[in-house]
Every structure is written in C-alpha cells, then in structure tokens.
Amino acid sequence: MRTEAIYAGLKLRTPIVAGSSGLTNSAKKNSAAEKAGAGAIVLKSLFEEQILMDTGSFNTHEYPKAEDYLKNYLRAGHLIDYLNLIRDTKQVCSIPIIGSINCYSSEGWIDFAHKIESAGVDALELNIFSLNTSKQFNVEEYIKLYIDIVRKVKAVVSVPIIVKIGQNHSNIVWLIEQLRLAGASAVVLFNRFYQPDIDIQEMKVNLTDVFSDPSEMYTVLRWVGIVSGKIPEIDVIASTGIHALDAPIKAILAGACAVQVCSAIYKNDLGIISQMNTVLDEWMEKNGFASVAEFKGKLNYAHIDNPVQYERSQFLKYVTQRDDQ
C-alpha cells in the first residue's frame, strides 16, 4: 500500500493517526476511526491527576485506614476501566492501538505502564508536562524528571515508548536526544495545553477554546524539521494544528513519520481522516512517490540548501521590503 508508514517501529497503513481524546475513549468510537482510515489510534489518556481529584472528594481524616482504602479502590477502578478499554478495542480493531498515560508520581508511571502493556497495547505514549512557577525552579531537576520517567517505564515494558512533550523547553533538540538515549522510540511535537483568557465583563479567568487552530502547525513544522534533521535515529510525530487536508504532506516533508489528528475531527467528523488520506495518495501519485518513505524528511533541516530557514526568528526580508516602499 502506497501510504504505509512506520510509527515508533509499528507498521501503519496510513500516517494519519487518531490522537488521544474523548474521541478514542470507547471501542465503538475506535472501530469507527479505523473504518474512516486511521492508521493507528492513541487511546484517551489515563490521568493520574483525574484519579487524585476523584479520590480527593473523600475527606475521612478521622479514619485514615478507611480513606486509604477508598482512594486505592477508586484508583484501581479507573485502571480497570482503562484496561477494559484496551482489551475491548483490540477485539474490534486490527490497526495498532497505543495506550496513553499522564502521571504525577513515579509510582503511577510504573504501575500503569506495566498493566497497560499487559492488556495488549502495541505502544505506549507518555504525556509529560509540568508548569513550573517557583522562584526556586531548578531546570536540571525538571529535565531529569523526564529522563527518569522514560528510563523507569522502559525498564518494565517492552513495547515502544513514545513521549509527547510541550514546546516550553529552552533546548528541545537536546531534550529529545536525552529521551532517545533513555529509551524513547518516538516523540510527539507537541502536546497542546489549555490557555487562560480573561473575561473583562465578568472579571474572571476563563479557558480559551480547547481546540487547536491551523496556524499552530507552523511551530510544529519548524521543530519537526529541525529535530528530524538533527536526530534521525528517533521518529517524530506532528501534532497540533493538523487541520488542512494537505497538512500531513507538509509534516512528512518536514520529517514527521506520521501526524496525530484530533481537533480537526471534532470540528468536522471522522470523514476528515478519509479526505486527508485521499489527498495524500493523489499527491503521491502526481509526484511519482511510491512510498511515504521516499519523501519523508525531504525538506527537513538536513536536506535543504539553507537550513537557517528553520532557525530564523525575525522577518528581516519582509520588514526590509516594507521599509523600502
């Protein structure tokens, strides 16, 4: 099949992947995504934060043993539900199924990862993020957290590990190289986090639109192009801002092995996956590409004549032209 791709060592029939969200929280939805043309599915994340919020509703400090029992009971319940989601999805889907976890504690990563692998996932995506606002913030300790998580999870699972990171790092290339050395097979660029807005009428802080915007893809293209060119040993997946039908083509040319689609499905429907696949296939035929591998990274940092185009941060040419008018 012309559009086959390799994603963290997994063989995909197409590089269009259904990203982790409420759209992938049931076997029925996941089966529909496969029928729509998804090459793989990342299940809705298992959030330790959500579990802690739920267990936090029990205030039985007068009976600490009872409190511990209730918290462990609810935690186990969340995990059981997630393991059932994996098993049920594997029964109705033939494409790779990727588990996703988001944890606070090192214990949570290890416990969840081992059991999720046992339930049958083909790979495991780790969502690692912490917004640091402390004046005593130690950058080295923060980066060490990422690396330690990958090493600890790698020690207990054999499936490929994929790390989904945000763009809030001072040296993304260095971090990804450390993650690769720690055992990560792939990285997803980037995780999208909720942003605050201010309602000047109600005088309160609100959340902005939870969906991504097509313009957000340009930052993703920059870093996909740079990382894939400088660290070819690790797979790079493009995520956030993948809306246009030709966005997967651009991402693959920049060096992505696949793209994760989420907001575009919410804003349209699963048909967007089929449309992206059609545009990809037609473009490949028109340009004489027999496989995705033939043009993957063709325009990344290592393969263009002027790689500074990925590094440039100022509109020098545009501003100069405007000033001369």
Side-chain angles (χ1 to χ4, degrees), residues 113-289:
H114 177 67
K115 291 180 179 177
I116 287 172
E117 179 188 37
S118 298
V121 295
D122 299 289
L124 184 59
E125 181 179 280
L126 310 180
N127 285 272
I128 308 174
F129 177 75
S130 177
L131 184 63
N132 293 285
T133 59
S134 171
K135 292 188 292 185
Q136 286 76 42
F137 171 59
N138 186 315
V139 177
E140 291 183 2
E141 286 299 314
Y142 180 62
I143 296 301
K144 185 175 182 296
L145 170 66
Y146 278 70
I147 298 168
D148 286 348
I149 287 172
V150 173
R151 284 176 177 163
K152 289 178 180 179
V153 173
K154 183 67 176 177
V156 298
V157 302
S158 58
V159 295
I161 294 176
I162 303 162
V163 183
K164 193 169 189 177
I165 66 171
Q167 50 187 288
N168 61 314
H169 298 283
S170 59
N171 192 331
I172 291 173
V173 175
W174 182 87
L175 170 60
I176 292 175
E177 173 65 1
Q178 302 313 305
L179 294 175
R180 182 188 72 82
L181 294 174
S185 298
V187 290
V188 181
L189 307 179
F190 290 105
N191 209 337
R192 186 175 189 275
F193 306 102
Y194 295 154
Q195 302 294 334
D197 191 11
I198 292 180
D199 185 328
I200 63 173
Q201 304 302 326
E202 298 293 331
M203 297 284 285
K204 64 180 182 179
V205 176
N206 291 326
L207 293 176
T208 57
D209 190 349
V210 298
F211 299 128
S212 69
D213 181 89
S215 66
E216 295 180 60
M217 186 184 73
Y218 300 119
T219 297
V220 174
L221 286 180
R222 176 198 293 269
W223 287 106
V224 167
I226 292 173
V227 172
S228 67
K230 292 198 170 190
I231 316 177
E233 301 87 356
I234 194 167
D235 283 344
V236 182
I237 298 95
S239 177
T240 298
I242 309 298
H243 290 261
L245 297 182
D246 63 355
I249 300 172
K250 293 182 180 182
I252 296 169
L253 282 168
C257 64
V259 300
Q260 286 189 7
V261 182
C262 181
S263 293
I265 302 176
Y266 272 110
K267 291 184 175 182
N268 299 277
D269 55 39
L270 286 171
I272 193 75
I273 296 177
S274 176
Q275 294 175 49
M276 287 180 173
N277 282 326
T278 297
V279 170
L280 172 63
D281 187 65
E282 291 177 348
W283 181 87
M284 290 177 64
E285 182 176 8
K286 178 181 178 181
N287 289 275
F289 293 115

